[in-house]
């Protein structure tokens, strides 16, 4: 779960940077979809972790 959480945070961050580096309008437009989707996924993971309290490495989350 920690890896999934960290992966979502990475995807959100890179998607926020995409508009300034994107070569086409299509790529620029996809960033909002990626951000929305990964925020949704991360909320699901965070909720699941809170409900089931799996062991996690110290300092994660």
């Amino acid at each position: 779960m920690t890896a999934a959480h960290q992966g979502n945070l990475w995807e959100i961050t890179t998607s926020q940077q995409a508009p300034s580096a994107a070569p086409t309008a299509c790529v620029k437009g996809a960033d909002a979809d990626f951000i929305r989707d990964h925020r949704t996924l991360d909320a699901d993971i965070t909720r699941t972790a809170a409900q089931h309290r799996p062991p996690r490495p110290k300092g994660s989350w």
Side-chain angles (χ1 to χ4, degrees), residues 27-42:
V27 173
K28 289 179 183 179
D31 63 330
D33 293 336
F34 272 56
I35 291 168
R36 181 198 63 231
D37 294 347
H38 283 282
R39 282 185 176 157
T40 300
L41 289 169
D42 198 53

Side-chain angles (χ1 to χ4, degrees), residues 36-60:
R36 181 198 63 231
D37 294 347
H38 283 282
R39 282 185 176 157
T40 300
L41 289 169
D42 198 53
D44 292 344
I45 289 168
T46 302
R47 185 174 41 257
T48 300
Q51 290 172 347
H52 299 286
R53 303 200 187 279
R56 11 176 237 229
K58 185 177 180 177
S60 65

Side-chain angles (χ1 to χ4, degrees), residues 11-37:
E11 288 287 351
I12 292 166
T13 300
T14 56
S15 294
Q16 289 170 334
Q17 297 170 356
S20 63
T24 66
C26 179
V27 173
K28 289 179 183 179
D31 63 330
D33 293 336
F34 272 56
I35 291 168
R36 181 198 63 231
D37 294 347

